[in-house]
Amino acid sequence: MSVQQDPGKEYQRRVSRMQSRVRGLMLGLALGDTVGGARGEPPAAGPLRAGVSTQLACFTAEGVVRAMVRGQHKGICHPPGVVLHAYCRWAALQGIEEERMRRRWVPYPSDRPWPDGWLAGVPALAERRGSAPATVTALSRIEDPHSRIATPSRGCHALTRTLPVAVAGPHWSEQAGEFAALTHGDPAARSAAVQAAVLLQHALTAPRPDGPGDPAEHLARTALETGIAALPAGPAPGSDGEQERLHAAFRSALDRPAEPALLARLAPEASAPSALLGGLYTAASFPGRDRFRAALEFAAGAPDPGSVACVTGALLGAVHGAEALPVDLVSRHELGWVLDTLARDLLAQIEDSPGGSEYVPGWDPHWWDRYPGW
């Protein structure tokens, strides 16, 4: 006797599973940023502070939602411009060239508050939590209409801040590179951001395995291997052979997992390619659902621990979901609620468009105020 499936319940289950993985990605990158920044030894009690990568990733996620809202209501949108505006709001909250940012985005007297949107009201996002020199230098040129503001940098923030873009789906992979290139002009930084988006998209959508062994371990490694295989064959322009290095890093994790000296060789610096290689190697070395904490502690031994642990946390969180993250860490993170809300809202915008569109009214009358489309 066959049991008839309820389509409505199956849809709810699918959305719930995806929501868990999106939350896992967002919370995982934040825990990695924090644990890595503390070199594997976060405080045993009290709030866990967010790093600058997490702050910028929050504004990337918010910018993606606002770009989608704009496209639906205005019929046309240039997502990099909307996300650039998001980074400028972060800078203004930080007190970085605040008047210059305001002149760029609100050039005429207006009663409209700026920075706008709900994220601008989060106190922890207005606090300095480390440096992002290439991002700040580029944003400081925001008023110059005749020059490209990006620096020649291939620094890690080009990658870590763009990780949430993966949630938007495969057609946004190239946008991750565009967002990185807003401030980091080295082609390798752009390439690493695109590759990370592809890996994370496969982590988010990996089907549960039916084979023998540890299902969670098999799930993580299969998702990463499938993601690498989905990358274009041959070296991407400007990637400096990075795709081949991803294949080699993954194989190294299978043959020689969790070797500190190998991690140091794969990720020797605070660059976007190093963060991606180190994060991939670590995630593949600790693929089990119960190894998340151990993975972050190992990543924290890299020469630039914050960026490697950030990528590691995002990959494993996306595969295993938010429920696999250590409760004692997630519950103490100062931006836990913010990240959780952004994850839910990003998925809601993709699945259901709460704010409606130019011709269809939305079911949430406050959505535009939360995520103004510009």
Side-chain angles (χ1 to χ4, degrees), residues 20-345:
S20 172
R21 288 184 170 187
V22 173
R23 292 169 58 217
L25 187 161
M26 295 291 289
L27 292 164
L29 75 84
L31 290 184
D33 190 21
T34 296
V35 173
R39 296 200 169 273
E41 298 182 358
L48 297 178
R49 291 159 62 92
V52 66
S53 287
T54 302
Q55 291 181 331
L56 287 165
C58 286
F59 279 94
T60 299
E62 188 225 25
V64 170
V65 175
R66 288 172 64 145
M68 292 179 175
V69 169
R70 178 175 178 80
Q72 290 177 333
H73 282 267
K74 303 297 183 181
I76 187 171
C77 178
H78 182 239
V82 179
V83 171
L84 177 61
H85 182 199
Y87 297 150
C88 287
R89 291 193 300 277
W90 166 81
L93 291 173
Q94 296 272 311
I96 300 168
E97 302 285 359
E98 183 176 357
E99 289 307 313
R100 179 174 293 178
M101 302 296 168
R102 187 177 298 276
R103 287 195 302 268
R104 169 60 178 82
W105 297 103
V106 192
Y108 306 107
S110 172
D111 295 333
R112 180 172 60 185
W114 190 89
D116 56 2
W118 74 271
L119 203 61
V122 177
L125 294 176
E127 297 184 13
R128 297 286 179 94
R129 296 297 169 79
S131 62
T135 299
V136 170
T137 298
L139 295 179
S140 297
R141 304 169 179 169
I142 194 67
E143 284 190 298
D144 186 350
H146 303 296
S147 67
R148 192 160 176 256
I149 67 172
T151 72
S153 173
R154 64 166 62 187
C156 61
H157 293 123
L159 171 65
T160 56
R161 74 172 192 233
T162 58
L163 297 174
V165 179
V167 179
H171 57 292
W172 279 73
S173 297
E174 289 299 325
Q175 293 289 357
E178 295 288 340
F179 298 164
L182 289 170
T183 58
H184 292 64
D186 192 305
R190 176 174 181 160
S191 178
V194 173
Q195 291 168 340
V198 173
L199 291 179
L200 281 167
Q201 285 154 9
H202 282 80
L204 288 166
T205 57
R208 292 287 171 184
D210 298 323
D214 180 352
E217 179 175 312
H218 184 69
L219 173 67
R221 284 180 169 162
T222 299
L224 295 173
E225 187 174 27
T226 304
I228 295 170
L231 296 171
S239 68
D240 195 24
E242 197 64 32
Q243 184 193 354
E244 289 75 12
R245 294 182 188 180
L246 289 171
H247 282 283
F250 180 77
R251 289 193 299 269
S252 295
L254 303 183
D255 299 334
R256 301 167 54 191
E259 290 189 10
L262 182 52
L263 175 62
R265 288 200 297 272
L266 288 168
E269 59 189 10
S271 69
S274 282
L276 180 57
L277 286 169
L280 172 63
Y281 173 75
T282 305
S285 292
F286 296 85
R289 180 182 171 89
D290 61 345
R291 305 301 307 281
F292 185 87
R293 188 192 301 269
L296 295 191
E297 290 173 350
F298 175 76
D304 187 60
S307 62
V308 172
C310 186
V311 175
T312 299
L315 287 170
L316 293 176
V319 169
H320 298 310
E323 294 76 18
L325 306 186
V327 173
D328 62 311
L329 297 181
V330 174
S331 61
R332 291 194 289 129
H333 200 282
E334 65 176 347
L335 290 179
W337 176 84
V338 172
L339 292 155
D340 209 50
T341 300
L342 284 169
R344 294 173 189 273
D345 285 358

